[in-house]
Amino acid sequence: MRFLKKISFALLVLLIIVLVTATVVEKLFSTDKAVEWIYGAWWFVILWGLVGLSMLAFIIRAKLYRKFPAFLLHCAFLVILAGGFVTYLCAERGHMHIRQGEIHNYFVSEDGIRRVNMSFNVKMLYFDIVYHPGTAEPADYRSFVMVDEQIYQISMNKILKKDGYRIYQMNYDSDRMGATFLVSHDPWGVGITYAGYLLLGIAMLWILFLRIGWKG
């Protein structure tokens, strides 16, 4: 059982390292590259599955159901992993290119063939680049769009979230009169993942209160 615990922990640490690497790739290159190189890669799915299976095996072998706070903690990780897997299986991803003044209610799927309709219209108002003070070095790329009569800003560090859709700033036209966005629609996976985070928070608070009680 000790060996199984070490394997589960090692796989979890490896997964965390990969997720941190994906975040760095997203910052240095783009969200699209992070999806292509890591999130959408076959080896990442296998790693995700191995972490889940090893954790489930440890829960059963260690009979953690007899220690409910620890059982809840491990189950929370399993729910989070399940949410990520559902996202991989069910989420729709693609690109949306809009010129200034145009209105789109769809994006083109990753395979470049299908148009995926959205539940709202996006109108491109204008694109802007923010520079570091006193330099010509870009600090941020910003697109201002209108959705349901409301104006939103989409930038490198600000995602537009609406009706289960997540719209990321990806690229812009050379004349700055248009932009390309990465669109993700994940109505199920995000909810499952958030439920896992909620269970994780409850379990950690439970364990903390038990330890405080024992010390008291």
Side-chain angles (χ1 to χ4, degrees):
M1 187 174 67
R2 185 175 298 177
F3 176 74
L4 181 59
K5 184 178 181 179
K6 289 181 178 179
I7 289 295
S8 300
F9 181 76
L11 288 172
L12 183 59
V13 170
L14 179 59
L15 179 62
I16 293 173
I17 292 173
V18 171
L19 291 175
V20 171
T21 302
T23 302
V24 173
V25 169
E26 191 170 355
K27 293 293 184 181
L28 294 179
F29 298 95
S30 66
T31 302
D32 192 44
K33 291 299 182 183
V35 171
E36 178 185 350
W37 294 345
I38 299 177
Y39 295 128
W42 62 269
W43 58 265
F44 182 74
V45 179
I46 292 177
L47 174 61
W48 203 270
L50 288 175
V51 172
L53 289 175
S54 63
M55 193 170 294
L56 180 60
F58 177 73
I59 289 174
I60 296 173
R61 186 67 184 273
K63 298 180 180 179
L64 287 182
Y65 48 83
R66 296 179 179 178
K67 303 174 182 178
F68 195 76
F71 175 70
L72 184 62
L73 181 68
H74 285 76
C75 285
F77 282 114
L78 285 178
V79 173
I80 293 170
L81 290 171
F85 188 62
V86 170
T87 294
Y88 178 80
L89 292 178
C90 303
E92 290 271 16
R93 299 183 184 89
H95 304 93
M96 178 172 57
H97 175 255
I98 314 179
R99 296 284 292 176
Q100 185 171 309
E102 290 183 347
I103 301 176
H104 284 191
N105 65 347
Y106 67 89
F107 61 92
V108 180
S109 63
E110 286 182 333
D111 54 28
I113 300 175
R114 296 181 300 110
R115 282 190 176 188
V116 182
N117 292 326
M118 301 188 299
S119 60
F120 52 88
N121 296 321
V122 179
K123 181 178 181 179
M124 183 68 178
L125 299 179
Y126 65 94
F127 174 83
D128 184 33
I129 299 179
V130 179
Y131 296 92
H132 290 288
T135 71
E137 182 70 22
D140 199 4
Y141 306 104
R142 306 184 301 180
S143 294
F144 293 87
V145 300
M146 179 175 288
V147 179
D148 294 338
E149 304 302 321
Q150 293 188 6
I151 297 176
Y152 296 89
Q153 174 185 317
I154 306 173
S155 65
M156 296 172 62
N157 299 311
K158 192 169 186 179
I159 304 169
L160 172 58
K161 303 175 184 178
K162 184 174 177 60
D163 297 349
Y165 294 87
R166 297 167 68 89
I167 303 178
Y168 305 80
Q169 178 72 52
M170 180 182 168
N171 208 338
Y172 62 93
D173 296 348
S174 57
D175 61 0
R176 302 186 187 180
M177 296 295 290
T180 301
F181 304 97
L182 176 65
V183 184
S184 174
H185 184 220
D186 182 19
W188 304 106
V190 172
I192 296 173
T193 302
Y194 284 167
Y197 288 140
L198 177 61
L199 291 176
L200 182 63
I202 294 173
M204 293 179 69
L205 287 175
W206 193 339
I207 293 173
L208 177 62
F209 288 149
L210 286 176
R211 290 183 176 179
I212 293 175
W214 289 337
K215 290 180 180 180

